[in-house]
Amino acid sequence: MTLSVGIMIEGQEGLTWERWQRLARTVEACGYESLFRSDHLTGLFGESRRPSLDTWASLTWLATGTSRIRFGPLVCPLTFYHPALLAKRAAAVDQLSGGRLDLGLGAGWHEPEHRMFGIPFPSLKERLDRLDCGARLIRALGEGRPVTLDQPYYPLAAAESYPLPARGRLPLLIGARGEKRALRIVAEHAEEWNTTRVTFEDYGVKRAALERHCNAVGRDPATITRSLMVPVIVGRSEADTATRRGRARASFPRLPEDAAGWRSAGFLHGSPAEVVEDLARWRELGIQRVMLQMIDQEDLAAIELIAREILPALQ
């Protein structure tokens, strides 16, 4: 089984147009499959003065500023968007890119940014209900005919939305970890299941839960791409990895302090050979696509190192 490898960055932690353009050009030139970014309104750990380039403005530039890579948000919280407006925006950007957009959706989780900007942050149950209804609506609006949906939060009454996505159907990626409800929503609506912050042992349990939900809704689990977003620190020496780990923790202070902490959390850490070994194990567990989370947006050298020494070893 092949393993597609992309790069993911945290757009709320200092992303500017200059950084975004350098990252995109480097990622495409280095042969990565994709480039994804988070969708948040402010720094997650109280750094509210860091630049936080608007997600959809940045994705619109990416549609024409690159020519090959797939891209998208990882993920758009439906607490931020009405799904009908999000579907129209995504279809437009997908058309502009020639069909390279993957639309990532999530229920929303970071309560402080909602409070900061006065955005309602309902209970977890309601957020999951909204994710379910919103994904159903986005799917329905891609059918190319009038659609009526009698459902809570986001009903439709003979609704249509044009233009349709470039290839007729927008790939829907849903970020989910919850075994009871969130993975049920993946089974019902998604082309791709993305998870993060899991260990090798955790992943098998969650994959089994998804397969049970697929069986319950009459869907072949093999029709859902399985992807992983995972932080990575790589270096040619222990000193290199320590330096990169320190820079990552300067942006995300809650990241583990040492190599053992990174590995026990299920993150990638070490030499190129060690990262290749862990990625090969993820592939054996069924991961088909990995988004390497690069915390330091200025570290193009790490992106180039991975491209030279890790990507070829995974072919």
Side-chain angles (χ1 to χ4, degrees), residues 3-7 27 29-34 68 272 275-276 279 283 290 292 303-315:
L3 180 66
S4 299
V5 180
I7 296 295
V27 168
C30 284
Y32 288 92
E33 181 261 352
S34 54
R68 179 189 56 79
V275 173
V276 167
L279 286 174
R283 180 171 57 191
V290 62
L292 300 176
I303 293 174
E304 293 166 348
L305 174 62
I306 293 168
R308 283 195 310 272
E309 301 195 18
I310 293 176
L311 297 191
L314 294 170
Q315 299 306 312

Side-chain angles (χ1 to χ4, degrees), residues 92-166:
V93 172
D94 185 62
Q95 283 234 337
L96 188 62
S97 73
R100 294 184 288 125
L101 176 72
D102 295 322
L103 178 57
L105 300 179
W109 65 274
H110 191 244
E111 189 274 338
E113 68 185 323
H114 292 75
R115 182 173 66 250
M116 179 183 290
F117 292 100
I119 298 171
F121 188 72
S123 68
L124 177 59
K125 179 185 182 305
E126 181 176 330
R127 280 180 279 137
L128 288 171
D129 288 344
R130 287 178 177 272
L131 177 61
D132 183 20
C133 293
R136 184 176 295 107
L137 179 149
I138 291 169
R139 274 281 157 265
L141 287 180
E143 293 182 7
R145 60 180 179 82
V147 177
T148 296
L149 278 181
D150 182 12
Q151 64 174 8
Y153 306 114
Y154 311 120
L156 293 177
E160 296 181 84
S161 181
Y162 299 97
L164 295 175

